[in-house]
C-alpha cells in the first residue's frame, strides 16, 4: 500500500486547486494501477459512470483522457456518480513505490515490530447507497462480494468486496453513530472512513499505541479502533482475526 498525502492548497493545476481545503486530515480516495486501462475506462463508461480527466474535464470520448502534457492515460470517477473519486492510471516507473521493485514481497513480521502488521485487512467506505459502489467495484472492475453482515463495532450493515489483493467494506452506518456522523459530512457521496490492519497480536498493538499517546475508541477481544482525535483524524483499526470470506493467502 502506498499513501499519497496531499495538501489541497498545494495541489494546483493550471492555477486551479483540485481539492477543497480542509481543516483536519481525512482519508479521501483510492488510486489503482490498471492493466488494460482503456478497457476499464470503456467498461465504466458503458455503465454510465461519469468520469473526468486530471484537470477536471469531462471524459466522454472513446479513449481515456491523458495527463496534462503527457500521453499517459489517467482518469477519475465523479463522486456523485460513483460514490467516491477513484483514480485509474497505468503502472509507471515510480521510485517512491517499493512494490514496483522486481521480486519485492511483503516481509514477514519481525519480533521487534511494535505493531506486528501482517497486511491490510480491509478499507472501510461509508455509504447509504451500496448498490452504487457495487456497480463500480463489481460490475465495472470485476470485484467479488465475499461477505455481507453486521459490523457491530462500527454500527453498520456491511458488504465486503474483494478486488485484486484488497478488500473493501461498504458500510451503511446506523443513525447516531460516530460512523454516521463521519458519513454525513460528505453525504450524499460516500466517505472513505478507515483502514483496518491484520496484526499478529492485539496486546502488542495496544501497548505501542498507548506508548505513543494514541487513545483508543474501541477495544474488544477481536479489534482495536483508535480515537481519531489522537491518530491523524483517522479511526485506524487493528484485528487479529481473518474476516469471513477473505480468500487471500495470509502473508
Amino acid at each position: 500500500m502506498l499513501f499519497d498525502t496531499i495538501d489541497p492548497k498545494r495541489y494546483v493545476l493550471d492555477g486551479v486547486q483540485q481539492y477543497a481545503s480542509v481543516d483536519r486530515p481525512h482519508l479521501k480516495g483510492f488510486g489503482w494501477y490498471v492493466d488494460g486501462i482503456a478497457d476499464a475506462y470503456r467498461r465504466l463508461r458503458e455503465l454510465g459512470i461519469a468520469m473526468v480527466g486530471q484537470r477536471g474535464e469531462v471524459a466522454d470520448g472513446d479513449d481515456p483522457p491523458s495527463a496534462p502534457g503527457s500521453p499517459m492515460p489517467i482518469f477519475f470517477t465523479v463522486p456523485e456518480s460513483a460514490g467516491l473519486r477513484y483514480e485509474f492510471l497505468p503502472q509507471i516507473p515510480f521510485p517512491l513505490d517499493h512494490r514496483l521493485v522486481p521480486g519485492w514481497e511483503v516481509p514477514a513480521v519481525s519480533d521487534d515490530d511494535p505493531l506486528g502488521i501482517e497486511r491490510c485487512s480491509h478499507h472501510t467506505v461509508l455509504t447509504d447507497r451500496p448498490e452504487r459502489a457495487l456497480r463500480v467495484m463489481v460490475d465495472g472492475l470485476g470485484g467479488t462480494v465475499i461477505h455481507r453482515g453486521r459490523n457491530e463495532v462500527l454500527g453498520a450493515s456491511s458488504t465486503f468486496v474483494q478486488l485484486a489483493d484488497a478488500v473493501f467494506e461498504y458500510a451503511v452506518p446506523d443513525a447516531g453513530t460516530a460512523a454516521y456522523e463521519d458519513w454525513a459530512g460528505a453525504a450524499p457521496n460516500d466517505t472513505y472512513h478507515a483502514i483496518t490492519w491484520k496484526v499478529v497480536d492485539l496486546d502488542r498493538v495496544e501497548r505501542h499505541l498507548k506508548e505513543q499517546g494514541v487513545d483508543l475508541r474501541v477495544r474488544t477481544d477481536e479489534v482495536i479502533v483508535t480515537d481519531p482525535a489522537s491518530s491523524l483524524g483517522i479511526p485506524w483499526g487493528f484485528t487479529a482475526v481473518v474476516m469471513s470470506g477473505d480468500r487471500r493467502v495470509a502473508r
Side-chain angles (χ1 to χ4, degrees):
M1 183 183 300
L2 178 72
F3 288 94
D4 188 4
T5 305
I6 295 174
D7 177 352
K9 294 179 181 178
R10 301 181 67 180
Y11 184 28
V12 178
L13 291 176
D14 297 333
V16 179
Q17 183 174 318
Q18 299 299 307
Y19 294 100
S21 298
V22 296
D23 57 9
R24 60 179 180 174
H26 199 287
L27 295 171
K28 183 68 176 177
F30 302 94
W32 289 294
Y33 297 130
V34 182
D35 290 331
I37 189 169
D39 292 335
Y41 167 79
R42 292 173 189 134
R43 177 56 180 160
L44 293 172
R45 188 164 171 257
E46 287 173 0
L47 291 169
I49 296 166
M51 294 169 283
V52 296
Q54 199 166 18
R55 290 191 179 98
E57 71 278 15
V58 174
D60 57 4
D62 290 336
D63 295 314
S66 58
S70 168
M72 182 189 77
I74 183 172
F75 61 93
F76 306 80
T77 58
V78 175
E80 289 76 10
S81 178
L84 284 179
R85 178 181 165 99
Y86 298 103
E87 178 181 2
F88 302 83
L89 71 162
Q91 183 172 306
I92 57 175
F94 188 33
L96 297 179
D97 192 345
H98 50 273
R99 299 169 302 173
L100 301 181
V101 176
W104 183 88
E105 295 181 353
V106 178
V109 177
S110 63
D111 291 339
D112 60 353
D113 184 331
L115 288 175
I117 293 174
E118 294 179 313
R119 64 177 183 272
C120 176
S121 172
H122 60 280
H123 306 266
T124 297
V125 177
L126 306 175
T127 183
D128 68 339
R129 292 176 56 190
E131 72 284 353
R132 177 174 58 184
L134 295 182
R135 187 170 56 132
V136 176
M137 301 294 285
V138 177
D139 300 338
L141 302 178
T144 302
V145 174
I146 61 171
H147 179 65
R148 286 187 170 96
R150 284 289 300 173
N151 183 333
E152 297 297 351
V153 170
L154 191 64
S157 298
S158 297
T159 301
F160 292 84
V161 177
Q162 183 166 338
L163 177 64
D165 196 29
V167 172
F168 302 83
E169 175 188 18
Y170 288 94
V172 181
D174 301 340
T177 60
Y180 186 92
E181 182 180 353
D182 193 27
W183 167 76
N189 298 332
D190 298 344
T191 296
Y192 185 8
H193 177 66
I195 301 173
T196 297
W197 306 99
K198 170 66 175 66
V199 298
V200 174
D201 177 64
L202 285 181
D203 291 337
R204 186 196 305 194
V205 171
E206 183 176 11
R207 285 194 300 270
H208 182 67
L209 292 175
K210 288 184 176 180
E211 288 172 358
Q212 300 305 312
V214 177
D215 298 323
L216 306 186
R217 172 184 279 179
V218 175
R219 173 60 158 104
T220 72
D221 291 340
E222 295 187 349
V223 67
I224 285 173
V225 180
T226 66
D227 182 346
S230 61
S231 56
L232 301 176
I234 300 164
W236 303 96
F238 302 86
T239 182
V241 177
V242 176
M243 75 179 69
S244 178
D246 191 343
R247 299 176 299 178
R248 296 170 297 180
V249 177
R251 291 190 291 271

